[in-house]
Amino acid sequence: MKTILRTSQINKYFLEPVKFHVLKDIDFEINAGEFLTIVGKSGCGKSTLLYILSTMDTAYEGTLEINGQQLTGLPQNQLAKFRNEHIGFVFQFHYLLPEFSAIKNVMLPAMKLGKYTRKEIEERAYEKLRLLDVHEQALKPTNKLSGGQQQRVAIARALINDPAVIMGDEPTGNLDKSNSQIVFDILKELSRSYNQTIIAVTHDTDFADNSDRTIEMSDGMIIKQ
Amino acid sequence: MALGLAANIAKTHLLAKIRQTVIASLGVTFGIAMFIVMISFMTGVNKFLEDTMLTATPHIRIYNDIETNRRSILDEVKSGEGRMNVVYHQKPKDEKLNLKNGLRIAERVRREPAVLGVSPQLTSQVFYNYGPSELTGILTGVNILDEDALYDIKTKLKSGSLEALLSSSDGVLMGKGLAEKLNVTIGNRVSVTTPKGHTILVKVVGTYQVGIGEIDNVRSYANLSTVQKVLQEDPRYITDLHIKLTDLEQARPLAKRLQNTYGYKAEDWETANASILVSFTIRNVMTSVVVTTLLIVAGFGIYNIMSMTIYDKMKDIAILKATGFDGHDIVQMFLLQAIVIGAIGGTAGLLIGYALSYLLSITPFETGDFLAIDTFPVNFNPWFYVSGIVFGILTTVLAGYFPAKRASKVDPVSILRG
């Protein structure tokens, strides 16, 4: 089994308001195609860990490696390029750009990547939207969609560049029961049918119980994996 | 990233919040419009005053500068070490004010390459009497065609004609203000008395207005021969040579040369109008200060609007960064928006500035007889418009660059985690 993400000895401190040791010696690996959830009480550092994994937070000690490439210490712009190509991010809130239509939101990361022509990108984006069953909303402005639809468009956006790993920061945190179920099923389906690696931070025990593997954190440490 | 994507996003941002875009552009528009109006008006006034001064001033004036403080004869005859002569109540020598060989000097000066025209003049202080009114003034004898070549008298005539003066032996062209004070019109006869007590009756054949009260209220033109007659001098008697040059800047060196060549005082326009020139300098400095202040204020306004626009978009920036856009993309995106806002706002500013300047230039402006002006003077210099638009775009780009630069460095985590 191929290892897609590896951390070694990740430590992080918050300096404000007082120095605080948030993450302590985080060591773990994720295999390709795995659907991993990270659980723990509020403030245990799970979201902080996820943002480090996402390469957006660079203020930590230790090393992070995704897809065989060591990312620790790379300059911001290279990390941005890496994120664009290899990481799809789904937030608790959908965070779609309100000025753009649903399909345009999905297309933007691909246009940034510039691997395909505009026409191809549009087709691919439409394909992703269809996969998530929101293709009928493609041309609507994102603020005209329901919460569940918005989150699905956000997942489509995360998928557009065929990333090595999708990261979700409580991707169902803002959704009601049925929408949560839909989003979960989609992630599960992606993992199973497309061998998509997924890491999600969640509070939802049902969500965690149904994933392939769960890492439990407490006080900045992994207590069970 | 291809510039196309940044342009694409920039366009969507601008169009999505069209009201904000318009308001941001209006900020630029207002600044540029005010800049155009202020600089056009202020330089217009300066230029008008300068032109008015120059139209009535010779570039070089040659005259006989009499030394009244001369050495006494005793000093000339008996002087030396250990002697001191005291002469009480020494009177100035009775010297004539004329330029000897003046007309011949005029002919020679006229042949100088830099010289546009020469007008020999004979000027005398006089009293004008018409019925009970009695006014002091100046009577200037000229060859009216030479004078016209220098000062464009023909266009300044309010009544009568140059030919009428040429064809009469005792005609005068009277300053408009002077004619009004004396209450005379064409055809009236006015008596003129010189300081030496000679009197002559002259006939008003026309009136003119130069636009400067100091001239229009005191001076009349007559033929050289008329003035020579009243002063009881010979036909070669002249007191001044007025010279116009092709290039203003050459006045000073040429004046110096003429003075050395002919031995008479030659005064260039800058020396003659030193005090006025100082006031011009001060006014120009004031214009620069006001315009600079205006530009700085406008610049800060633009900066405010641009940073507000960008801080409004902080969340979008964080999302874009999270999905893989880097700092350069962000800067590019907002710079493009800034350029568009600057260009649209700046262009509108130029149009409004032009419209306001035009309105100002047709607004009636009453100055009485002091200046020949009916409406506000406005300077429609294309350079103001070029610098206006350049400034507008440059400021907007700078004002967009700094907040964009800061925004591009923002940590998406801190925004997205709330």
Side-chain angles (χ1 to χ4, degrees), chain B residues 8 18 20 26 99-100 104 107 131 137 162 168 253 281 298 338 351 371 397:
Chain B
N8 201 316
I18 195 88
Q20 207 178 13
L26 278 180
L99 302 169
K100 289 177 192 120
R104 200 178 288 162
E107 279 318 306
L162 298 184
S168 79
T281 313
L351 292 177
L371 290 171
V397 166

Side-chain angles (χ1 to χ4, degrees), chain B residues 197-381:
Chain B
H198 308 297
T199 301
I200 187 178
L201 220 50
V202 295
K203 185 172 150 196
V204 179
V205 295
T207 56
Y208 69 92
Q209 187 179 25
V210 176
I212 300 175
E214 292 164 51
I215 291 174
D216 295 334
N217 291 343
V218 295
R219 195 180 66 181
S220 298
Y221 280 125
N223 288 319
L224 264 179
S225 56
T226 314
V227 185
Q228 280 157 352
K229 197 165 71 191
V230 64
L231 291 177
Q232 307 203 329
E233 296 291 351
D234 63 275
R236 284 169 309 164
Y237 187 90
I238 59 165
T239 55
D240 294 76
L241 286 179
H242 282 195
I243 302 167
K244 280 261 166 175
L245 305 178
T246 46
D247 179 13
L248 269 185
E249 305 302 319
Q250 292 196 22
R252 194 169 284 226
L254 185 61
K256 211 167 185 178
R257 188 152 62 77
L258 292 177
Q259 182 164 337
N260 288 339
T261 313
Y262 300 111
Y264 288 112
K265 174 92 179 165
E267 191 181 54
D268 63 281
W269 63 280
E270 283 172 279
T271 313
N273 295 289
S275 63
I276 300 178
L277 285 173
V278 167
S279 78
F280 284 154
T281 313
I282 291 173
R283 243 196 312 268
N284 281 331
V285 169
M286 265 169 58
T287 307
S288 316
V289 168
V290 169
V291 164
T292 313
T293 311
L294 207 66
L295 290 183
I296 291 172
V297 170
F300 272 103
I302 296 167
Y303 176 81
N304 259 336
I305 292 165
M306 283 312 296
S307 32
M308 251 169 54
T309 310
I310 290 172
Y311 284 111
D312 240 31
K313 291 260 183 299
M314 229 19 148
K315 210 179 226 169
D316 290 19
I317 294 167
I319 300 164
L320 287 170
K321 290 190 85 174
T323 55
F325 286 75
D326 59 37
H328 298 309
D329 302 336
I330 308 293
V331 171
Q332 237 174 44
M333 211 172 284
F334 286 103
L335 267 191
L336 279 171
Q337 294 190 41
I339 290 171
V340 172
I341 288 174
I344 292 176
T347 312
L350 293 191
L351 292 177
I352 292 177
Y354 177 78
L356 288 178
S357 309
Y358 177 72
L359 284 180
L360 198 59
S361 75
I362 57 169
T363 307
F365 176 52
E366 191 58 56
T367 56
D369 285 335
F370 190 62
L371 290 171
I373 185 171
D374 307 320
T375 59
F376 286 107
V378 177
N379 184 2
F380 291 97
N381 186 338

